[in-house]
Amino acid sequence: ADNRAAVRQVLSGAIASDGVIDLFQAAGLGGQDVGILSEEFLGQLAGMPQKNLALETLRKLLNDQIKSRERVNIVQSQGFRESLEAVLTRYTNRAITTAQVIEELIGLARTIRDAVHRGEETGLSEDELAFYDALASNESAREVIADDTLRRIAHELADRIKAKATLDWTQRDTVRADMRRTVRRLLAKYGYPPDAQEAATQLVIRQAELMAEGVVS
């Protein structure tokens, strides 16, 4: 009961974009609003005397944040997931202290929070950035295709997939086949490495499916 009250006291003081909100309930239900990772909130967690409680709160909130980011950007969320697991593994193996793991998780929380603004910095929309990351995740593609070209492909992908937003996703096999043709033609048009096209196509289609699910839900 004392732990529950302590979490409530910390979380209820956090600031989100729309003002002070009770984040204890949000944390219990998922805490997927990136506003939950405000600097004030992170500072309160860092200063909690109950370090194990702060660690568990951070772990849960980061898990929720990463899960919610998957629909927005698969590649980005995978990177965040790997970072989280790496830090927690080091802690489990006693390579770092509780205070150190909290510090590293707070750093990851800031990275996740700031990722929302990455599209603004790159000049890409959120959808375009997701497709850009999918295309750029292949090392050989990055070596042979200029960054501006990858951005152009991402822009065209976003436009073409948006144009197919009215497709009936309950007919998943038909939609996938149509989208596969669209993606492969576009990758070939810009000289995307042939040996990397299949993996890129699958990743782009999966991202498009998650985006569509988000719209439907």
Side-chain angles (χ1 to χ4, degrees):
D2 289 342
N3 282 356
R4 186 180 178 88
V7 173
R8 184 180 183 86
Q9 183 178 4
V10 171
L11 296 182
S12 64
I15 304 298
S17 58
D18 56 350
V20 179
I21 58 175
D22 181 357
L23 293 177
F24 180 75
Q25 182 181 12
L29 296 177
Q32 296 184 352
D33 182 353
V34 75
I36 200 171
L37 300 179
S38 69
E39 199 60 38
E40 181 174 347
F41 168 69
L42 295 177
Q44 288 175 316
L45 276 181
M48 280 184 71
Q50 306 96 329
K51 297 303 181 187
N52 288 335
L53 192 60
L55 171 57
E56 183 57 26
T57 302
L58 270 169
R59 184 196 63 77
K60 175 169 178 50
L61 290 179
L62 289 177
N63 264 319
D64 290 344
Q65 287 286 324
I66 291 168
K67 185 176 180 180
S68 71
R69 292 293 300 171
E70 185 177 56
R71 283 185 177 177
V72 179
N73 192 317
I74 292 177
V75 173
Q76 188 182 75
S77 67
Q78 285 176 341
F80 291 151
R81 175 72 60 193
E82 290 168 3
S83 295
L84 176 60
E85 291 176 352
V87 172
L88 293 178
T89 296
R90 288 166 59 213
Y91 176 67
T92 301
N93 293 336
R94 299 184 178 181
I96 53 178
T97 65
T98 303
Q100 288 172 325
V101 72
I102 289 173
E103 182 179 355
E104 292 198 25
L105 291 183
I106 286 176
L108 178 58
R110 290 189 177 109
T111 300
I112 293 174
R113 182 190 65 201
D114 295 343
V116 174
H117 306 294
R118 183 168 156 241
E120 300 171 6
E121 298 168 357
T122 58
L124 297 172
S125 70
E126 196 169 58
D127 289 355
E128 290 169 350
L129 186 59
F131 292 128
Y132 169 85
D133 285 345
L135 298 171
S137 64
N138 183 277
E139 186 175 351
S140 64
R142 293 197 308 273
E143 290 175 352
V144 301
I145 301 180
D147 189 68
D148 285 348
T149 302
L150 287 175
R151 290 167 185 259
R152 194 175 306 120
I153 301 173
H155 177 73
E156 287 196 35
L157 274 173
D159 281 349
R160 296 192 185 191
I161 289 174
K162 189 179 297 182
K164 297 178 181 294
T166 56
L167 290 175
D168 183 2
W169 281 87
T170 61
Q171 305 296 320
R172 197 169 291 271
D173 290 342
T174 302
V175 172
R176 277 181 178 159
D178 178 65
M179 194 164 289
R180 177 181 295 275
R181 287 190 295 270
T182 298
V183 174
R184 296 195 75 164
R185 280 197 296 265
L186 193 56
L187 295 182
K189 170 185 172 182
Y190 284 101
Y192 200 86
D195 61 338
Q197 286 185 16
E198 181 58 29
T201 298
Q202 290 183 10
L203 190 54
V204 166
I205 291 174
R206 179 58 183 149
Q207 182 69 72
E209 287 177 334
L210 288 170
M211 289 174 174
E213 289 171 8
V215 171
V216 171
S217 61

